[in-house]
Amino acid sequence: FTCVAGFGNCDGNATNGCETNTTSDNANCGACGRACSAPHANMRCSTTGEATCVLTSCAPGYSDCDGNVANGCECNGPCNGRM
């Protein structure tokens, strides 16, 4: 079987079909197994357009100085012009 867009058979069980909504599941964002997580960051799966992980906030004491979602909040403290 083939899943319709926005859903996946993430547990590999054909009997329950395409059980995962990959447009809003933080553990399966846009595809099965694509988790929204990054160091020192609070992330979520964006439901606007194509599913992608977005950084919603940094853990206390950390900052996202380079704007790269993949490495999260990489600065320990404020950016202060660091890139």
Side-chain angles (χ1 to χ4, degrees):
F1 61 91
T2 301
C3 296
V4 297
F7 287 87
N9 181 20
C10 296
D11 66 1
N13 182 351
T15 61
N16 66 2
C18 304
E19 78 291 341
T20 304
N21 182 339
T22 58
T23 62
S24 61
D25 185 341
N26 283 345
N28 302 285
C29 185
C32 293
R34 187 182 304 156
C36 290
S37 64
H40 313 291
N42 297 308
M43 308 282 287
R44 72 172 174 81
C45 186
S46 171
T47 57
T48 304
E50 188 173 325
T52 57
C53 296
V54 294
L55 189 148
T56 57
S57 64
C58 292
Y62 287 86
S63 302
D64 178 23
C65 295
D66 64 3
N68 181 352
V69 174
N71 67 7
C73 301
E74 74 286 351
C75 294
N76 188 355
C79 294
N80 296 329
R82 292 184 282 176
M83 286 291 198

